[in-house]
Amino acid sequence: MQGEAPNIGYIDRDRHPMDIGRIVQDVGYAPRFAPRAAYADFLDWLKRTPDFRSN
């Protein structure tokens, strides 16, 4: 709505990486890929799926 104050804060510094420790402990989750391999796979997928990021 026009005139409302934003409810999302912006911090211009790096945030800490997320911790998956709780989901590992609670349900036994184990990621299939290490973070770097997962990121590389995601970038490859983005290249192969140009319609994902449409204007």
Side-chain angles (χ1 to χ4, degrees):
M1 298 182 112
Q2 212 169 23
E4 281 191 44
N7 63 359
I8 299 173
Y10 172 74
I11 299 173
D12 64 347
R13 58 185 154 84
D14 288 339
R15 297 184 325 180
H16 294 284
M18 295 184 139
D19 179 11
I20 65 168
R22 182 147 182 210
I23 196 166
V24 170
Q25 181 181 0
D26 290 352
V27 299
Y29 171 76
R32 189 182 311 177
F33 302 102
R36 286 187 189 270
Y39 185 66
D41 184 63
F42 177 65
L43 290 177
D44 182 56
W45 178 84
L46 285 175
K47 290 175 187 172
R48 292 181 286 115
T49 317
D51 293 338
F52 175 72
R53 297 182 299 167
S54 61
N55 294 342

